[in-house]
């Protein structure tokens, strides 16, 4: 199978942490704990917002969308990552690999879009607080969420079909613990230019454009805050943005770090690059529920009431 010039792969081999296979038992507890915190934390945030009608406001509805997207990312990577470290199962069939790639990228694109929507929400809340709920009505928020979900699906929909039509050759070993388009595109020996061009367009029109618009939103927020005469008012306005700024940093800093390591540290240990890649996908779903629980009084109180209900 490996020696033939062309083949249709029935499965791919995923990579854990090369050179550290003997230490896999030591990674079981950390990875299981990370997934447990991510899944339980985001599920609790969704449950609190759903149960508490006073939280059915724009800021918290967008937070629910973010929690949903992060649940999707965590659930998409969990089977293969824990399969490798718990059972040494590093095989994944071709169709399952394509589905995992589709799911990971869809939810990641949605997560980036929700962070942009949340930055616009913060700008509207500070720029025009009296008309905040009149501008960001529930139908508009629902339409925004539906548009973000539809956009991510439509952008990613062609990629699995473009990959499936290509002949594969050489080997079927992927360089991560889960399936990514950037990995899969390295294996075919046919013309991958349509895949590469579409992939670049997707990255540019989502992560690239979203990050620029988030920066623009905060420039406008800062300009608006500087126009507030009261020092106390400025601090209060900026304090409403702290949780979102932390969420943006938690999302984009690992992404930039992974890109820099792959670009400028090509001779770094493979285990380091793969560990950073796992951190990039796992850290936001773990930290964001903690950030919003600590910094947002309403979420914190809702979690306490949900976990420790009064008799």
């Amino acid at each position: 199978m490996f020696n033939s010039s062309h083949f249709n792969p029935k499965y791919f081999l995923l990579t854990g942490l090369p050179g550290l296979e003997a230490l896999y038992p030591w990674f079981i507890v950390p990875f299981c704990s990370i997934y447990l915190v991510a899944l339980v934390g985001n599920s609790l945030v969704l449950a609190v917002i759903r149960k508490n009608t006073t939280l059915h406001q724009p800021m918290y509805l967008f937070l629910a969308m973010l929690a949903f997207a992060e649940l999707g990312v965590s659930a998409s990577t969990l089977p293969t990552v824990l399969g490798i470290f718990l059972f040494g199962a590093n095989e994944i069939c071709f169709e399952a690999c394509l589905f995992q790639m589709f799911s990971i990228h869809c939810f990641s694109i949605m997560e980036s879009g929700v962070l942009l929507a949340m930055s616009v929400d913060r700008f509207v809340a500070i720029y025009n607080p009296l008309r905040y709920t009149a501008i960001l009505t529930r139908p508009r928020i629902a339409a925004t969420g539906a548009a973000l979900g539809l956009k991510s699906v439509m952008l990613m929909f062609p990629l699995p079909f473009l990959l499936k039509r290509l002949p594969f050759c050489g080997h079927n070993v992927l360089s991560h613990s889960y399936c990514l388009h950037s990995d899969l595109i390295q294996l075919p020996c046919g013309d991958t230019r349509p895949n590469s061009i579409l992939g670049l367009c997707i990255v540019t029109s989502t992560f690239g454009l979203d990050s620029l618009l988030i920066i623009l939103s905060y420039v406008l927020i800062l300009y608006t805050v500087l126009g507030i005469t009261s020092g106390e008012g400025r601090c209060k306005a900026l304090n409403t943005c702290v949780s979102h700024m932390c969420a943006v940093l938690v999302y984009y800093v690992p992404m930039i770090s992974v890109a820099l390591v792959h670009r400028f540290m090509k001779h770094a240990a493979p285990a380091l690059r793969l560990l950073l890649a796992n951190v990039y996908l796992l850290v936001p779903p773990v930290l964001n529920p903690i950030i919003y629980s600590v910094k947002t009084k309403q979420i914190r109180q809702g979690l306490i009431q949900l976990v420790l209900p009064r008799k």
Side-chain angles (χ1 to χ4, degrees), residues 95-231:
E95 288 74 17
C97 188
L98 292 178
F99 179 75
Q100 186 183 49
M101 176 202 74
F102 178 82
S103 300
I104 291 173
H105 290 306
C106 270
F107 285 114
S108 296
I109 291 171
M110 185 177 178
E111 188 176 359
S112 177
V114 172
L115 287 173
L116 170 60
M118 293 174 80
S119 69
V120 175
D121 165 76
R122 291 299 82 209
F123 170 67
V124 174
I126 293 172
Y127 180 76
N128 200 343
L130 296 179
R131 299 194 64 242
Y132 172 54
T133 54
I135 295 172
L136 295 176
T137 60
R138 289 188 189 179
R140 287 177 180 172
I141 294 171
T144 301
L148 291 173
L150 183 62
K151 182 188 79 169
S152 62
V153 170
M154 293 301 292
L155 286 174
M156 285 302 303
F157 187 75
L159 288 182
F161 298 99
L162 288 174
L163 279 168
K164 202 166 185 178
R165 70 179 177 83
L166 294 170
F168 285 75
C169 55
H171 63 86
N172 61 345
V173 180
L174 300 175
S175 60
H176 289 86
S177 305
Y178 36 79
C179 298
L180 296 175
H181 181 256
S182 57
D183 261 2
L184 290 168
I185 201 64
Q186 305 295 325
L187 303 182
C189 51
D191 184 11
T192 60
R193 282 177 297 179
N195 303 67
S196 299
I197 293 171
L198 181 57
L200 179 61
C201 291
I202 291 173
V203 170
T204 304
S205 63
T206 54
F207 304 110
L209 183 61
D210 289 350
S211 60
L212 290 176
L213 291 176
I214 289 172
I215 293 172
L216 177 61
S217 297
Y218 272 98
V219 170
L220 295 175
I221 288 172
L222 186 59
Y223 180 78
T224 304
V225 169
L226 291 176
I228 300 174
T229 55
S230 166

Side-chain angles (χ1 to χ4, degrees), residues 115 119 214 218 243-254 288:
L115 287 173
S119 69
I214 289 172
Y218 272 98
S243 297
H244 179 256
M245 286 189 289
C246 292
V248 170
L249 291 175
V250 162
Y251 182 78
Y252 281 102
V253 169
N288 282 335

